[in-house]
């Protein structure tokens, strides 16, 4: 099966990278074909350029991430203004709370989980690095959206939707505005089983250039807002919420200054 140049080829090549990146071990060509629902010849067609550019390597067991991948990660960190300090802080927060810690960001209409202490092999964990499609149902999403001017927040929700993920998910724009008021009033956001019933997350927006002490933006265009958050099993939240919230708030002043745009 031959592929014509265009978006479908690009989409399938990216799917190959996703499958290989998410696997715990190298992935064979036949396994890739089954996963993608395509012919074996298509797999070879797609992996050829990825091998040539260093995005994949071929081992005796199958395909694995190539040497170009760490360079992409370093570029990602550079563009977000990240250095060793952010990873160290997330690690300290993880050790202090026993909860996985995250750095998330809003930029130009998108919300992304930038970094996390959750192991990349933990496929069951709900908050993995990458685009966050469920921001309305997560604490980090609420904290970031609460820091935006209302028109940008409304535009984000209109473009990305408010899918019902559990029976606790807020799916009404009016109710979400009331939640935003609560977030601003208390200085932190909470999501108890709204994205995944098994997990609860807490988050605070990070102050930065052009922002007040409460982390709210000054409304200067569609720039960047950052947030720090943690997640833990919902079953643990009730007895530990005060302790974890205090540790999260204590960590905010130590977070490196991050770019606004």
């Amino acid at each position: 099966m031959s592929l014509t140049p265009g978006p479908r080829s690009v989409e399938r090549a990216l799917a190959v990278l996703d499958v290989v990146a998410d696997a715990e071990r190298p992935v064979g060509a036949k396994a890739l074909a089954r996963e993608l629902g395509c012919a074996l010849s298509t797999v070879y067609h797609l992996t050829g350029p990825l091998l040539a550019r260093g995005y994949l390597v071929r081992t005796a067991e199958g395909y694995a991430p190539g040497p170009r991948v760490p360079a992409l990660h370093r570029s990602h960190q550079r563009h977000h203004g990240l250095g060793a300090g952010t990873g160290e802080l997330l690690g300290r927060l993880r050790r202090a709370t026993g909860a996985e810690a995250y750095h998330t960001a809003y930029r130009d209409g998108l919300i992304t989980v930038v970094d996390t202490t959750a192991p990349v092999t933990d496929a069951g964990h709900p908050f993995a690095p990458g685009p966050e499609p469920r921001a309305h149902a997560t604490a980090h999403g609420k904290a970031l959206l609460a820091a935006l001017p209302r028109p940008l927040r409304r535009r984000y929700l209109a473009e990305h939707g408010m899918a019902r993920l559990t029976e606790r998910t807020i799916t009404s724009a009016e109710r979400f505005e009331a939640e935003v008021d609560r977030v601003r009033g208390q200085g932190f956001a909470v999501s108890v089983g709204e994205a995944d019933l098994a997990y609860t997350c807490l988050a605070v927006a990070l102050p930065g250039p052009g922002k007040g002490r409460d982390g709210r933006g000054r409304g200067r265009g569609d720039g960047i807002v950052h947030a720090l958050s943690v997640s833990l099993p919902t079953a643990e939240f009730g007895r530990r919420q005060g302790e974890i919230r205090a540790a999260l708030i204590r960590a905010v002043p130590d977070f490196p200054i991050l770019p606004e745009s």
Side-chain angles (χ1 to χ4, degrees), residues 69-142:
V69 174
L72 289 178
H73 179 63
R74 289 192 295 271
S75 175
H76 164 76
Q77 291 184 312
R78 184 174 66 252
H79 281 279
H80 281 280
L82 301 177
T86 57
E88 291 171 2
L89 179 82
L90 292 178
R92 289 201 304 271
L93 185 57
R94 171 70 176 82
R95 291 189 293 273
T97 62
E100 302 297 354
Y102 311 84
H103 168 214
T104 56
Y106 167 93
R107 180 174 188 169
D108 299 330
L110 295 175
I111 288 177
T112 304
V113 179
V114 178
D115 200 4
T116 172
T117 59
V120 294
T121 55
D122 186 358
H125 200 276
F127 309 119
E132 175 55 274
R134 309 154 300 168
H136 65 293
T138 66
H140 45 262
K142 292 180 186 180

Side-chain angles (χ1 to χ4, degrees), residues 1 33 41 50 64 72 79-80 86 97 109 124 141 148 157 172 183 226 257:
M1 171 181 167
S41 60
L50 296 173
L72 289 178
H79 281 279
H80 281 280
T86 57
T97 62
L148 296 177
L157 294 174
S172 157
V183 170
H226 301 272
I257 294 176

Side-chain angles (χ1 to χ4, degrees), residues 57-227:
V57 292
R58 188 159 41 204
T59 72
E61 295 180 79
Y63 296 100
R68 177 65 180 151
V69 174
L72 289 178
H73 179 63
R74 289 192 295 271
S75 175
H76 164 76
Q77 291 184 312
R78 184 174 66 252
H79 281 279
H80 281 280
L82 301 177
T86 57
E88 291 171 2
L89 179 82
L90 292 178
R92 289 201 304 271
L93 185 57
R94 171 70 176 82
R95 291 189 293 273
T97 62
E100 302 297 354
Y102 311 84
H103 168 214
T104 56
Y106 167 93
R107 180 174 188 169
D108 299 330
L110 295 175
I111 288 177
T112 304
V113 179
V114 178
D115 200 4
T116 172
T117 59
V120 294
T121 55
D122 186 358
H125 200 276
F127 309 119
E132 175 55 274
R134 309 154 300 168
H136 65 293
T138 66
H140 45 262
K142 292 180 186 180
L144 293 168
L145 291 170
L148 296 177
R150 183 185 176 104
L152 289 184
R153 181 167 57 253
R154 286 297 185 116
R155 188 175 76 190
Y156 179 91
L157 294 174
E159 291 178 353
H160 295 272
M162 303 180 70
R164 183 176 297 282
L165 304 170
T166 76
E167 64 265 27
R168 298 179 178 178
T169 308
I170 297 174
T171 58
S172 157
E174 290 70 25
R175 280 191 60 204
F176 195 82
E177 284 301 315
E179 181 73 0
V180 163
D181 289 340
R182 184 178 302 109
V183 170
R184 288 175 167 172
Q186 63 193 14
F188 61 91
V190 182
S191 169
V192 182
E194 294 177 43
D196 184 315
L197 284 173
Y199 287 89
T200 286
C201 47
L202 295 84
V204 291
L206 294 169
K211 296 179 175 66
R213 290 176 61 83
D214 60 0
R216 296 187 203 173
R218 300 300 189 190
R220 298 190 304 156
D222 196 0
I224 302 178
V225 184
H226 301 272

